[in-house]
């Protein structure tokens, strides 16, 4: 799969289409700043994505260019989403990919909420490269 363009926002990325209502989503939480919806290919019993309503490619773009209101509103929406899902007590993991080493696939910032059971060690324990990495061309 081709890597996203990290310099120019693509108005036709799948999450832009979800924000426009062009394709459906299973919404968990929504406010002026963010939309949270179930991941189409869950990697845990609970796998929800939270996206800002503004056009930000990734965490790097968001933290460099979003306003203080947008940043505060987005992170508060992440918290509201975990509350709506009843995850505060049992716990959850947040994950956000940026850039080729992370293998980000959709070029609109999203934070993954993973939960619903013990979600395992924080990372694949093979950063020295003994496991073949996916082809990133
Ligand atoms: P990334 O690898 O970019 O961090 O994660 C992208 C996530 O978006 C993946 O977990 C993938 O399953 C999810 N995804 C991709 N297309 C769709 C879609 O059309 N709808 C929903 N709900 N999730 C999607």
């Amino acid at each position: 799969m081709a890597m996203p363009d990290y310099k120019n926002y693509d108005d036709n990325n799948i999450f832009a289409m979800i924000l426009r209502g062009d394709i459906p989503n299973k919404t968990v939480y929504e406010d002026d700043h963010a939309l949270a919806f179930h991941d189409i290919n869950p990697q845990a019993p609970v796998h929800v994505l939270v996206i800002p309503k503004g056009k930000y490619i990734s965490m790097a773009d968001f933290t460099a260019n979003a306003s203080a209101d947008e940043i505060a509103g987005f992170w508060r929406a992440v918290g509201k989403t975990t509350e709506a899902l009843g995850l505060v007590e049992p716990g959850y993991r947040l994950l956000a990919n940026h850039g080729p080493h992370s293998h980000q696939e959709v070029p609109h910032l999203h934070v993954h909420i993973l939960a619903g059971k013990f979600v395992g060690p924080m990372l694949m324990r093979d950063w020295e490269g003994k496991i073949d990495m996916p082809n990133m061309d």
Side-chain angles (χ1 to χ4, degrees), residues 14-15 18 23 37-41 47 49 97 103-106 110 112:
I14 203 93
F15 294 168
I18 284 177
I23 59 171
F37 54 91
H38 289 278
D39 195 291
I40 204 168
N41 182 24
H47 187 172
L49 305 170
N97 291 318
H103 209 255
Q104 179 183 0
E105 288 183 356
V106 180
H110 46 286
H112 298 252

